[in-house]
Amino acid sequence: MTDAVHMSSAAPVSPEELAPLESPSPAEETPTITFAEIGLPAPVVAALAKNGITVPSPIQAMSVPDAIAGRNVLGRAQTGSGKTLAFGLPMLARLAQHEDRPAAKRPRALVLVPTRELAIQVVDSLYPYASSVGVRVLAAVGGMPFTKQVEQLRRGVDILVATPGRLGDHLRQGTCILDQVEITALDEADQMADMGFLPEVRSILGETRPDGQRLLFSATLDREVQSLVRQFLADHVTHSTEDGKASVDTMEHYVLLVDRGQKDVVLAEIGARDGRTIMFARTKLGCEGITDRLRAVGIPAESLHGGKAQNQRTRVLERFKSGRTPVLVATDVAARGIHVDGIDLVVHVDPPADHKDYLHRAGRTARAGEKGTVVAIVLPNQRRLVRKLTGMAGVDATAVNVAPGSEELATITGAKAPSGEPVREQHFKSDRFGDRPRREGGYQGSRPRREGGGGYQGSRPRTEGGYQGNRSEGGYQGSRPRTEGGYQGSRPRTEGGYQGNRSEGGYQGERKYN
Ligand code: AMP
């Protein structure tokens, strides 16, 4: 109880807590450099923008400036983090400075990768940006005609992307010479080690210019990789996606895979949880719609967006802080300046615009060492997009299939059945309830969330309060057309009361993104 009392005492919202809409508070805004500021040639920046790449991912923001400055870089980053451009863009910046063509057979830059597929992917990724500054990129991998590669090497190549095996063949035959290589990248060094390529890699690196720059990227740094680093990356700087904000270790990230028709019901159950929840939507209208649907089933939700006057927004935030409004539905811009402690769940109702917004949203929780959970509600057609966003953000998100009433949903978010009784506007306006949160089981401060107490109770008969099924007015009905009162999740109703739909659509395995 002391927790509840403590949390319900509404401190007034200070000006810092409510930053003006269009200018996020400086403390909140991660200092992000743009690709132009990093020192990339203008045509490369323009070509990136044309492909929608405007904000460097964390590994790029960390590594590219050092690599452009000529330093050896050891990058700990996985596929999906943007590592290809992290080593590729500095190469382009440097190679674009040459006015003459590369000499026959003598590439100026080398990218070593473990597999053919990766080599082709790297060439495809770099090609649009390389061609914007006249830099020639070639893949030299097995499974492609050797003689054709010989001819292309003879005509001069700036960046050679190769597997150690095929490059070894070219070196032995004298069809490629590495004495002009000024910058070498090793991509997925750990995989190359696992595949037994390190002796070959060592001998290849030994043929590049001794004063050459080296960039090594690897998801893990086991002993073999470390020995490579010691031998070839003198005075290197290390950057890791884990250094980023995303890796606050008290924050857990989930991708909740839901069917389109169940999204509203899932949101309602999440909204009915105990604690402070912030939900993010892309647009003002989206926020209003979600808020209305939540209120209709008994969840005191309010929206925060640029369409509201400053004084309205101040009051919304005060009620959120006091616990009167347990669920805030916000747009990205409106939520930037918010500093409210005790938000233990962030919900991406719509996917964020980019990885930076993902991190901004996530940053509303797990503040000051508290625990926090971040969930993205993902429809089948959004999976790829969200996978890319979490990858870029350097986040290890666990993907779980959830459905209304599913145990996983309850365990991860604390979801439970909403009361079903629509929330009246009066709830937000009147002071007659004092500052005490009106809902029973409102915010409970630092109570551990996962001890099972507050979770979903499936079809267990409810003994007190809450939703009772066959009320005559206004009950929550999930997303089904109404036939008679009562929340029914998305399952045909057989008897009164909340029934979720535990039996279908439950947990279907868990997998890691990235
Ligand atoms: P990678 O980790 O290099 O395999 O990159 C993963 C994907 O993210 C690729 O499709 C890239 O084109 C894309 N990508 C790389 N950097 C960015 C960025 N800064 N913003 C958006 N997308 C990016």
Side-chain angles (χ1 to χ4, degrees), residues 42-93:
V44 173
V45 176
L48 286 166
K50 221 173 117 196
N51 284 340
I53 298 184
T54 50
V55 184
S57 70
I59 194 70
Q60 291 164 355
M62 292 185 275
S63 307
V64 174
D66 279 330
I68 286 185
R71 302 204 59 178
N72 288 341
V73 174
L74 169 58
R76 278 198 70 176
Q78 289 84 356
T79 300
S81 59
K83 66 187 167 61
T84 312
L85 295 183
F87 63 74
L89 295 177
M91 286 185 165
L92 297 182

Side-chain angles (χ1 to χ4, degrees), residues 310-329:
Q310 180 82 21
N311 61 347
Q312 276 179 304
R313 290 191 287 121
T314 305
R315 282 199 295 272
V316 167
L317 263 191
E318 274 170 1
R319 288 189 289 263
F320 186 51
K321 281 193 79 185
S322 74
R324 171 78 64 84
T325 299
V327 178
L328 188 69
V329 187

Side-chain angles (χ1 to χ4, degrees), residues 16 26 62 72 98 100-101 113 136 154 169 197 216 260 267 280 290 294 296 336 347 349 372 398-399 420 426:
E16 305 84 66
M62 292 185 275
N72 288 341
H98 287 279
D100 54 339
R101 283 182 60 129
V113 297
R136 297 152 68 104
R154 201 188 53 74
D169 295 341
F197 284 151
L216 185 149
R260 184 174 294 278
L267 278 182
F280 283 96
I290 294 161
L294 291 174
R336 286 250 167 132
V347 184
V349 180
T398 305
Q426 194 65 13

Side-chain angles (χ1 to χ4, degrees), residues 360-377:
H360 269 297
R361 290 173 172 192
R364 298 311 91 211
T365 186
R367 301 176 74 83
E370 292 174 357
K371 274 192 187 307
T373 303
V374 181
V375 302
I377 309 293

Side-chain angles (χ1 to χ4, degrees), residues 105-159:
K105 305 187 206 175
R106 291 180 153 84
R108 286 173 170 152
L110 175 66
V111 180
L112 280 181
V113 297
T115 64
R116 289 177 206 177
E117 292 71 26
L118 187 56
I120 290 159
Q121 201 179 301
V122 168
V123 171
D124 287 347
S125 302
L126 296 186
Y127 180 78
Y129 316 118
S131 59
S132 77
V133 282
V135 165
R136 297 152 68 104
V137 191
L138 175 73
V141 293
M144 288 185 174
F146 193 80
T147 48
K148 195 167 165 209
Q149 284 169 10
V150 172
E151 176 53 25
Q152 284 164 320
L153 281 163
R154 201 188 53 74
R155 276 192 262 131
V157 165
D158 288 287
I159 303 178

